[in-house]
Amino acid sequence: MSPIKQSLPFTVVTLVLVMMTLSGCRGGSSEAAEKSAVVSVRVADVTGGQVEEIPLRFSGIVRAAQRATLTFQVSGTLKERPVELGQMVNPGDTLAKLYNPALQPAQDSAAAKLQELKTQFNQAQREWERSARLHKRGVVSEQNLEQIAARRDSLRASMATAEAALSEATHLLEESVLKAPFAGQLEALLVERDEFVSAGQPVMRLSSPLGREVEIRVPAHLLSHVRVGMELPVWQVQDRNRAPETGTVIEIAQGSSIRGELHPVLVSLPANSLSSGEPVEVGVTPVRESAVTVPMLAVVRDATGTSVYRVSENVAHRVPVKVDRVIGERVMVHPGELQPGDQVVYAGMTRLVDGDTVEIR
């Protein structure tokens, strides 16, 4: 075998080893380049935005959401009151009866008058029917027939008036009986038996146990800090160690031009939480806008203006900002694209350009 053939396998092995070495070197250098492309930086949070102040407490009294002060629509003497204070009643239950000596006779008189007019109308109708037959035979003149028809129509109109009077008298008589408009508990009896009651005078108060609410009154400048549906803390005055209940704003009064006037805000309370009549305090927390600030070291100034590097998902993006003033070691800027909670670079910016991948130290 010749010396050339013996050296061929050795040459091939040598070439393979050289290629593997070169490829290894190339891979190592690409990994090193990739690693060197990640810029190591330090970041700080953007501060500012909405700031909640200490809750202001406004006092109120818990009351039933559905309540009514019951009155009679007629005057008279209270003769019956078959209910007691605190009693539960159902819709339609009789609560009190009033005696007025003119109500029953007025209804009887109206009924009698209506019956009289009905009798006269029926007679006039029969008379007109007879006269109409005689008119066809020429016995009754056209003028007499028209007079009979006019009298009949007049009685029909009077009968309608009498029906209205009877309905009014009946309703007034029914108003002498006070009935419960809804299911609830009697929380106040304002008139005793045999006392004279005027029309519209409060007789008793009825409240439903199904819902509770509290009304507070707040200054006009706080109306912008509450809205319908907002949840507010409600503290019990008699037990301040108890955790507050959570109420919901259901009504807000509109602002008024009267200086210094307090405006009602109605807050609904959770079921089975507080009893009617309990004193409570409702917290209203004012919210104000705080200035957006960034560290002074985070601001970069160049020919195009001032900007900061905001980091999102380990990528730095250059965001232009407008500086208002310096506050200690921070500067106040217009929000623009920056939001409270964003992270901005304040160290390691010398080698940083827009879009670089960063490593937060």
Side-chain angles (χ1 to χ4, degrees), residues 81 83-86 95 186-192 202-205:
R81 196 189 64 190
V83 292
E84 299 296 336
L85 184 65
L95 305 180
L186 292 170
E187 61 177 29
L189 301 176
L190 307 176
V191 178
E192 298 297 330
V203 176
M204 57 186 69
R205 289 200 304 269

Side-chain angles (χ1 to χ4, degrees), residues 254-319:
Q254 297 299 318
S256 172
S257 58
I258 302 177
R259 183 178 179 180
E261 183 180 12
L262 299 178
H263 305 278
V265 175
L266 196 59
V267 180
S268 175
L269 300 175
N272 304 320
S273 58
L274 296 167
S275 301
S276 182
E278 286 192 65
V280 294
E281 292 179 342
V282 181
V284 177
T285 305
V287 179
R288 60 181 175 83
E289 293 289 336
S290 176
V292 176
T293 65
V294 297
M296 187 184 300
L297 297 176
V299 179
V300 178
R301 186 183 300 273
D302 55 18
T304 61
T306 54
S307 60
V308 296
Y309 285 101
R310 180 177 59 190
V311 176
S312 176
E313 297 180 355
N314 292 328
V315 177
H317 300 282
R318 191 162 186 168
V319 179

Side-chain angles (χ1 to χ4, degrees), residues 117 120-129 145-159:
L117 291 172
Q120 294 178 3
F121 173 77
N122 292 335
Q123 181 182 358
Q125 178 66 21
R126 290 192 297 270
E127 183 179 355
W128 179 85
E129 291 173 353
L145 184 62
E146 290 178 354
Q147 290 176 350
I148 295 172
R151 181 172 177 273
R152 179 201 60 185
D153 294 340
S154 176
L155 288 171
R156 180 186 287 116
S158 298
M159 190 169 59

Side-chain angles (χ1 to χ4, degrees), residues 294-297 326-331:
V294 297
M296 187 184 300
L297 297 176
V326 178
I327 306 175
E329 295 182 353
R330 303 180 69 88
V331 293

Side-chain angles (χ1 to χ4, degrees), residues 34-143:
E34 226 177 88
K35 189 173 180 181
S36 63
V38 177
V39 182
S40 182
V41 296
R42 290 183 179 179
V43 297
D45 291 337
V46 178
T47 62
Q50 290 187 339
V51 177
E52 292 187 354
E53 300 179 355
I54 299 174
L56 303 176
R57 297 192 178 193
F58 297 89
S59 60
I61 302 296
V62 177
R63 66 188 187 190
Q66 186 179 21
R67 61 199 180 279
T69 300
L70 306 180
T71 64
F72 288 103
Q73 298 303 309
V74 294
S75 59
T77 305
L78 187 66
K79 284 299 180 184
E80 295 183 28
R81 196 189 64 190
V83 292
E84 299 296 336
L85 184 65
Q87 180 177 334
M88 297 295 299
V89 296
N90 297 316
D93 287 353
T94 298
L95 305 180
K97 289 184 179 181
L98 201 67
Y99 173 71
N100 186 319
L103 296 179
Q104 187 64 54
Q107 185 193 35
D108 295 341
S109 175
K113 182 64 175 178
L114 177 60
Q115 186 60 40
E116 178 186 358
L117 291 172
K118 282 184 177 179
T119 302
Q120 294 178 3
F121 173 77
N122 292 335
Q123 181 182 358
Q125 178 66 21
R126 290 192 297 270
E127 183 179 355
W128 179 85
E129 291 173 353
R130 288 194 300 269
S131 298
R133 290 194 296 269
L134 293 175
H135 174 68
K136 291 180 181 180
R137 300 177 187 176
V139 177
V140 176
S141 66
E142 184 73 25
Q143 182 179 2

